[in-house]
Structures are given as C-alpha cells and as structure tokens.
Amino acid sequence: MNITELLAGLQAQHDKTTARVGELRDQIEHLAAVLTETEARLVDLATTRKVIAELAPAQDGTEPPETYSVYQAIVNAFNKRPDREFRARELHEHLGMLTGEASVNVTRARLGRLTRQGFLTQPGRGRYQKRT
C-alpha cells in the first residue's frame, strides 16, 4: 500500500465519520426537542391535576393528589426558612426528593409559578426565597 492509497483510505474514513457525527447531532437535537416538549407536558399535567384537585375536593375522604403535597412541602420549606435562598436542586435535596433533571425541571416550573403568584421572590438567577 502506497501513501496515496493510505491517504485516500483515511479521507474515506474521515468523510464517513463526519457524516456519522452529523447524523448523531441531528438525533441529539431531535431528542432534546422531544424532551423539552415532554417536560412541558408534564408541567401542564401537574398544573391541571392541581387545579382540578382544588376545584373538586375529594368527596370520599381520600387524600389530595401528590402534586398538592409536593407544593405544600415546597411552601413549608420556605416558611420554615424564610431567610434562606434555595436553588431547585438544593430544595430537592433538602426535601429528600429525587434529583433527576426532569424532576428538578418540574420543580423549577413550580417555583416559577409560586414566584408569579407572589409567594416567592427571585433574588438571583435560579435562586428563590420567600417574599417577606
């Protein structure tokens, strides 16, 4: 095998690998978009469940949905430590909740909702504190 054939073979491998990188990046972009949509859907579903639970109280004496208890746990954490600033992940750790990215993103949405409702303030990017 001479150098020309070797270089041609390397170029062919380079071209093939470059094409594969492009395919993988396209897949990553697609999956990231699908993940964002799915996480938004989770937030919408949690909000819907919360609103319905508030509008239609349980008639058979059952406990409220899990979302209500999560909101209550978040509010309680801020009530117990009104001077403390929390990040979503720190709040998860403080409450003993799962710290997976999807779960933390749902909590970020909840914290944003509580901020818009006037219960919390956002003293810095990604940090939340009880409004005093």
Side-chain angles (χ1 to χ4, degrees):
M1 177 180 276
N2 65 31
I3 292 186
T4 305
E5 291 172 341
L6 179 63
L7 289 175
L10 287 173
Q11 184 63 46
Q13 288 181 17
H14 180 270
D15 294 344
K16 183 179 177 182
T17 304
T18 300
R20 180 69 178 140
V21 166
E23 292 169 3
L24 291 172
R25 286 195 177 154
D26 289 344
Q27 288 177 2
I28 289 170
E29 288 175 14
H30 172 72
L31 290 173
V34 170
L35 177 62
T36 300
E37 292 171 10
T38 305
E39 287 175 340
R41 179 75 175 141
L42 276 175
V43 171
D44 291 344
L45 290 169
T47 302
T48 302
R49 187 172 54 192
K50 180 181 180 282
V51 169
I52 290 171
E54 289 174 357
L55 294 176
Q59 297 174 358
D60 58 1
T62 60
E63 293 185 21
E66 178 184 337
T67 301
Y68 177 77
S69 62
V70 172
Y71 270 99
Q72 193 60 49
I74 292 170
V75 169
N76 288 342
F78 281 100
N79 284 337
K80 289 178 184 174
R81 304 285 305 272
D83 57 329
R84 180 168 176 191
E85 295 177 4
F86 285 101
R87 293 188 173 278
R89 189 168 304 278
E90 293 169 351
L91 186 61
H92 268 244
E93 291 169 358
H94 179 75
L95 296 173
M97 299 166 67
L98 297 175
T99 57
E101 194 60 33
S103 179
V104 173
N105 283 340
V106 171
T107 297
R108 281 188 187 100
R110 289 178 177 142
L111 292 170
R113 197 169 301 115
L114 290 168
T115 301
R116 288 188 299 277
Q117 292 172 350
F119 181 76
L120 302 177
T121 61
Q122 205 169 357
R125 184 169 185 217
R127 297 184 326 218
Y128 300 88
Q129 185 175 20
K130 182 176 178 171
R131 183 178 298 270
T132 54

